Amino acid sequence: MKKLNFKQRIIFVLLSGIPYGIVLMLLNYFFDLYTIKSVLYQTLLFTILFGIGFPFVMEKLVPKMLSKLKTPEMEDDEIIIYEDGANLFSGTWVAVGGKLFLTNKRLIFSPHKYNFQKGETSIYLSEITEISKRKTSRIVDNGLRVVTKDNTKYDLVLNDRDEWLKQLKK
């Protein structure tokens, strides 16, 4: 799995830790639970825990979760070309974590066992009409949108979007 570079880590810290810290600060402030100084220390601690600690823990756990995923059921003459961890949004606001496989015939998304969605999502390459880059939360450049002939939109969050585009265009 591709590691985040320094700039990506800083963006992740800012986008995850600071909002959590601000929410905590506001809750404490409006309920008069602590002094402003105490709330600021809590905000700093919260930012460090969730902005730095959470990504570190996830970096260690995600590869283990993905390695336990089985290879999807394949057709007789189907071979895997490329695979990596991904998240799938398929018409909802809820992301499903798992692994994305590119074969010579399909894109197959296999969710890991910690999701509510248990079934695989399979998109035949011949059904795809459009593939475009997108930003996750309109900020982070790590998404792809896949549109099929029946106008179904699949939004993917990928570790290496440019490599996926390169592989899909082959």
Side-chain angles (χ1 to χ4, degrees), residues 18-32:
I18 291 175
Y20 291 127
I22 290 170
V23 169
L24 178 68
M25 180 180 76
L26 292 173
L27 287 172
N28 286 331
Y29 179 75
F30 286 120
F31 290 105
D32 289 330

Side-chain angles (χ1 to χ4, degrees), residues 107-119:
L107 264 179
I108 305 167
F109 179 79
S110 181
H112 56 65
K113 68 180 180 178
Y114 302 109
N115 290 306
F116 292 113
Q117 176 187 334
K118 299 296 181 194

Side-chain angles (χ1 to χ4, degrees), residues 82-164:
Y82 191 67
E83 63 184 85
D84 199 4
N87 289 324
L88 172 68
F89 293 87
S90 57
T92 65
W93 287 93
V94 178
V96 178
K99 198 169 196 178
L100 186 64
F101 298 87
L102 172 63
T103 72
N104 56 331
K105 294 184 175 189
R106 302 181 284 168
L107 264 179
I108 305 167
F109 179 79
S110 181
H112 56 65
K113 68 180 180 178
Y114 302 109
N115 290 306
F116 292 113
Q117 176 187 334
K118 299 296 181 194
E120 288 182 353
T121 300
S122 178
I123 308 166
Y124 279 90
L125 298 178
S126 61
E127 294 292 313
I128 297 174
T129 58
E130 180 184 342
I131 299 172
S132 58
K133 291 182 178 182
R134 63 182 298 275
K135 291 185 178 191
T136 304
S137 301
R138 298 182 184 174
I139 298 171
V140 184
D141 288 324
N142 64 349
L144 280 182
R145 173 167 283 170
V146 176
V147 182
T148 59
K149 290 180 181 176
D150 65 355
N151 206 30
T152 304
K153 295 177 180 132
Y154 300 92
D155 290 328
L156 298 158
V157 178
L158 307 162
N159 289 323
D160 192 352
R161 175 180 67 182
D162 293 331
E163 181 62 27
W164 275 100

Side-chain angles (χ1 to χ4, degrees), residues 40-51:
L40 289 174
Y41 285 132
Q42 289 178 35
T43 302
L44 179 64
L45 177 66
F46 215 77
T47 299
I48 291 169
L49 286 175
F50 285 96

Side-chain angles (χ1 to χ4, degrees), residues 47-62:
T47 299
I48 291 169
L49 286 175
F50 285 96
I52 298 170
F54 181 73
F56 177 76
V57 170
M58 291 308 291
E59 196 174 283
K60 302 296 181 197
L61 293 178
V62 169

